[in-house]
Each structure stands twice: as C-alpha cells, then as structure tokens.
Amino acid sequence: MRMTVLKRRLGLLAMSLLWSLVFGVMLLSPATAKAAAQSGAVYVIPVKQQIEQGLGSFLERAFQEAKEMNAGLIVLEIDTPGGRVDTAGEIGTLLQETDIPTVAFIRGDAASAGSYIALNADKIAMAPGSMIGSASMVDGMGNPVEDAKLVSWWKAQMVSAAESSGRNEQIAAGMADPKVAVELTELGRTVEAGDIVALSAEEALKVGYSDTMAGTVNEVIEFMGFSGNEVFEMELTFSEKLASFLTNPFVMTLLLFMGIAGVLIELIVPGFGIPGVLGITGFVLYFFGNSVAGFAGMETWLLFVIGIALLAMELFVPSFGILGVIGSISLIFGVVQAAYTTTHVAWSLGIAAVCALIAIVVVALVFKERGIWNKFILSDSLSRENGYIPVQERDILIGLTGITLTPLRPSGTADIGGQRMDVVTAGGFIPSGSSIRVLKTDGTRIVVEQVPE
C-alpha cells in the first residue's frame, strides 16, 4: 500500500516538474513571444509608380483601413523611380506614426524619394536584382538641384530616417548628396565625392541597409513571423488612378491650358462650341483630380461653377466686361485653392496662361471676321452698290425720273435709276407708285416733284 502511494506521489511530482519545464520554456522562448505579439492580418500596399500627390492620398487611405481592421503587419511593395520629396515626407510620417509593424519590400528600384520611404519602415527586405539609393534631388527637367539649402535639408531628412531605423547615417548622406564621400568597409570600396551611393540587394544586406533577401511577398511575411493565411492586397481604385494621373504636374498644366484657352476662345470667337466644351472639360478634370487626391473641397467647386456661370453670362448680358472679369477672378481663386500648394500651381498656371495667350492670338488672327469685336465695329460700307451716292455726285440726279416706293409725307423712299433713295417733296403729299422727277439736290436732300401722267 505504501509503495502504491509513494508511486502516485512520485508520478504527480514528475508531472508537475514536466509542466513547469514546458511552461518555463514557453516563457523564455523569444520565437513564441514574437509570434504571440505579431498576430493579425497582413496588408500589402503597392508603391509601384512615381511618387506624387495621388499616391500619398492612396497610402493614407490604406493605412487608415489597416488600422481600423487591427492589422498585424503592413508590407510596402516598392518599385519606384522616385518623385516628389514633399509627398515622400508625408508617407514617411505615416510610417513613423503608425503602431502597426511595417516592412518595405523592394522588388525593383527604391530610387530617390523611394529610398526615403523604405528607410522609414521598421524593416527592409530586398528581392535579388533590386536597388536602393541614388536619392539626390533633381528638378522637373531631371537636372540636379544646386540649391545648397535644399540639398542640405534633403540630406538631413535621409540621415534622420536612417538614424530612426538604426542604419549607417553616412551612407544615407551619400545617397542624398553627391559631395559626400562614403567609406563602404563591408564592401571594400569607397564612393568618392562626386558620385552618388546606390546599393544592390546583396550590397545593402552586407552594409545593413537590408534585413533580408526575399523573392516573394510570402517570404517577407514569414520573415516577419506571420503566416500567409490572412493577407489583403490593397489596390488603387479607378478614381485614385485617374486622380494620380490628373495631378501629375505636366498633366495639370495641360488641363489648365486647355481650360483657359478653350473658355476664352469661346468668349472671343463665339459660335464654335467645341473650344468651350474642351475648356470646361479641362477645368472639370483639374478640379476632379485634386478633389479625389484630397486637396480640393466643395468651396473650390463653388468658385469654379460661379466663374463659368459669370463667363457664360458675359456672352448674353452687356456688362462691358465686368461679368467676365469677376468670373475670371473666381476661376483663378478656385484653381489656386484646389492645388496642393500655391507654389506648385503658380508655375503650372503661369505656363498654361502664356501658352493659352499664344493660342488665343493665333485663333483670333485666323478667325478675325468672327470675333466678338465685330459687334462694336460698323461693318456696312457706304457703297454705290448699297444705294449710297457721294454728295458731290448727287447733282447728276437732277432731271431724272423715278417712282415712289412709299408715300411721301413729305419724305419717303423712291426708285430713281434703279436705286432706292431717300427723297423729300418740294411740298405736299405724293402717293406710293407715283411718277416723280428730281428738281434739285440740297446737301444730302434729294427734292422731287410729282410728274403728271
């Protein structure tokens, strides 16, 4: 009996020790703790285009949706030649402020502003053949920016992003400023001043600018400790794709040119219809793109509608140009208010206005006979064909006969020599259809008398 009780006690003790050991291993295991902390859905967000305003609005929507759905991980799938540094800054702020773990998966190029976005993620994964770096600032024509203040500011942004993720700050400085020489000890080479730092996937992994190499999104998800069971791939809506295209600086300038030229040509040379339709379409697309991108509110649409309405009224209401001026001011204010910044729209609006002015002058010269100015110019000519005879030649009418076309009381109209003329009687009434003869001319007056039949 004692042996049986002893065996039971030893068995219970062994089981307790075993469970304690298992529980202790679970507590001490970092992998288990990591897996427990990284539960939740995975949101894959593409960054596969030039970085511009529309992309920034899309990422803001995607991050908000991921937050509302309690996502466990955000994967930015990057392949971009770069773009606007201000938009990249906004995306970087999104990455810094989110509580959701983020990883940048570079599947092509993370050039220029794309490098900055990648450096703001918690982790960086790169596919074989991909690249990160070459982040020096260029202008709209692709020429390097020489402004020392701008270069210094952008370099500071890159360095700050690298510092926040624990990466070599000097490499980030060399990516942004070609004047910085960088010693790449791990690679056994130096990037001299005058060159810009750009790293392949293998090089980035060696110098700590990548945390792993991966060929697919699933490999990245597994690297971050997640399963691929609950993965959501975000996509641009049709409206967002269209807005992204319409807010491109070149397209925006083209739309403003089309709007300004079309509306003014319709006002100056009315009757075609097509320029007016194209002009309004250009303005509508401009406001629509900026509205979907999140820059234009209802007040900008109101200014646009008021401007177009006043310009249309100018065609029918004689206001001596007042309605047209007020309408133009309303449109300009709407265009400026709808843009991302005043500086950006100023360039686009200026270029569009100059080009539109040239187009308007050309159209006005080609169609000068149909211009609105013809309303203020007397087009009838005082020609002999129209029945007008110079005063000095009216004496030749003396003695000619004709027929009255209207009753003369005492003035009226008569046909003399096949021409309609305003005449006056020497006195008395002459009925219509009567024969008359010219007695004399007195300045512009032609005096006639009735000829007895």
Side-chain angles (χ1 to χ4, degrees):
M1 185 69 177
R2 289 181 178 178
M3 291 297 295
T4 303
V5 172
L6 182 60
K7 286 181 179 179
R8 287 180 180 177
R9 290 180 177 177
L10 289 174
L12 290 172
L13 180 61
M15 289 294 293
S16 299
L17 290 173
L18 179 60
W19 278 109
S20 297
L21 180 62
V22 171
F23 185 70
V25 169
M26 292 176 64
L27 286 176
L28 296 174
S29 173
T32 304
K34 183 178 180 181
Q38 294 177 346
S39 61
V42 178
Y43 272 69
V44 181
I45 306 174
V47 184
K48 298 181 178 180
Q49 62 185 78
Q50 189 172 7
I51 299 168
E52 40 66 47
Q53 300 165 5
L55 176 64
S57 298
F58 162 65
L59 288 177
E60 187 175 350
R61 176 179 69 84
F63 271 65
Q64 182 62 32
E65 182 175 326
K67 179 181 179 180
E68 292 173 354
M69 298 302 294
N70 296 318
L73 177 67
I74 290 177
V75 179
L76 290 183
E77 197 172 359
I78 299 176
D79 183 11
T80 176
R84 299 176 62 125
V85 295
D86 50 359
T87 303
E90 294 174 358
I91 297 172
T93 301
L94 280 176
L95 288 161
Q96 293 167 10
E97 293 181 350
T98 184
D99 296 327
I100 305 171
T102 57
V103 55
F105 179 32
I106 303 173
R107 299 195 71 174
D109 292 338
S112 189
S115 300
Y116 177 78
I117 293 175
L119 288 175
N120 277 283
D122 297 326
K123 298 289 183 180
I124 297 177
M126 297 182 68
S130 57
M131 180 277 292
I132 183 172
S134 189
S136 59
M137 293 184 72
V138 295
D139 58 22
M141 303 300 294
N143 301 314
V145 172
E146 302 294 342
D147 190 317
K149 291 183 179 179
L150 285 177
V151 173
S152 178
W153 170 82
W154 178 236
K155 180 171 63 176
Q157 295 296 311
M158 288 288 291
V159 169
S160 176
E163 182 182 12
S164 66
S165 55
R167 306 187 193 278
N168 189 322
E169 300 170 17
Q170 192 68 11
I171 294 177
M175 288 180 173
D177 189 354
K179 295 180 181 179
V180 176
V182 182
E183 182 72 28
L184 299 174
T185 307
E186 298 86 351
L187 304 180
R189 66 184 177 91
T190 300
V191 178
E192 302 293 344
D195 294 329
I196 202 78
V197 176
L199 302 171
S200 66
E202 294 79 6
E203 291 172 335
L205 187 62
K206 290 179 182 178
V207 300
Y209 263 61
S210 172
D211 298 291
T212 187
M213 289 184 63
T216 64
V217 171
N218 286 335
E219 291 179 19
V220 176
I221 294 173
E222 291 176 7
F223 167 74
M224 295 297 292
F226 287 80
S227 68
N229 296 331
E230 196 175 4
V231 178
F232 298 94
E233 295 188 5
M234 299 293 294
E235 292 184 357
L236 288 162
T237 63
F238 174 77
S239 295
E240 287 171 333
K241 290 178 181 178
L242 182 59
S244 180
F245 172 75
L246 295 177
T247 52
N248 179 281
F250 174 79
V251 176
M252 191 167 65
T253 303
L254 182 62
L255 291 176
L256 289 175
F257 161 73
M258 190 168 73
I260 296 170
V263 170
L264 291 182
I265 288 173
E266 188 64 37
L267 289 173
I268 294 173
V269 189
F272 290 102
I274 295 177
V277 171
L278 289 176
I280 294 177
T281 300
F283 278 126
V284 167
L285 290 175
Y286 170 83
F287 282 99
F288 171 79
N290 284 281
S291 179
V292 174
F295 311 126
M298 289 302 298
E299 71 281 358
T300 60
W301 283 103
L302 181 61
L303 288 170
F304 164 68
V305 172
I306 292 174
I308 292 296
L310 291 175
L311 289 173
M313 289 174 63
E314 180 66 30
L315 292 174
F316 307 103
V317 179
S319 68
F320 303 99
I322 295 176
L323 292 176
V325 171
I326 297 175
S328 299
I329 293 174
S330 178
L331 267 180
I332 292 172
F333 267 97
V335 167
V336 173
Q337 288 294 320
Y340 177 67
T341 65
T342 304
T343 303
H344 293 133
V345 75
W347 280 101
S348 296
L349 190 58
I351 294 172
V354 171
C355 294
L357 180 62
I358 295 172
I360 291 168
V361 170
V362 171
V363 171
L365 291 174
V366 174
F367 299 99
K368 57 184 178 182
E369 294 181 356
R370 301 187 59 169
I372 194 172
W373 48 83
N374 288 322
K375 293 183 179 181
F376 310 102
I377 299 174
L378 181 62
S379 58
D380 292 337
S381 59
L382 303 179
S383 62
R384 185 179 295 273
E385 290 76 12
N386 291 329
Y388 296 99
I389 301 175
V391 174
Q392 61 270 26
E393 295 184 11
R394 289 179 182 256
D395 291 343
I396 64 174
L397 297 176
I398 297 174
L400 295 181
T401 59
I403 298 176
T404 57
L405 299 177
T406 64
L408 305 184
R409 298 191 181 96
S411 63
T413 305
D415 184 335
I416 301 174
Q419 294 184 349
R420 291 173 61 93
M421 296 184 184
D422 292 329
V423 298
V424 63
T425 66
F429 169 79
I430 300 177
S432 175
S434 301
S435 297
I436 57 171
R437 179 173 58 246
V438 178
L439 287 176
K440 62 178 180 178
T441 60
D442 183 10
T444 59
R445 297 172 70 238
I446 302 174
V447 183
V448 299
E449 65 177 352
Q450 186 171 7
V451 178
E453 295 182 1

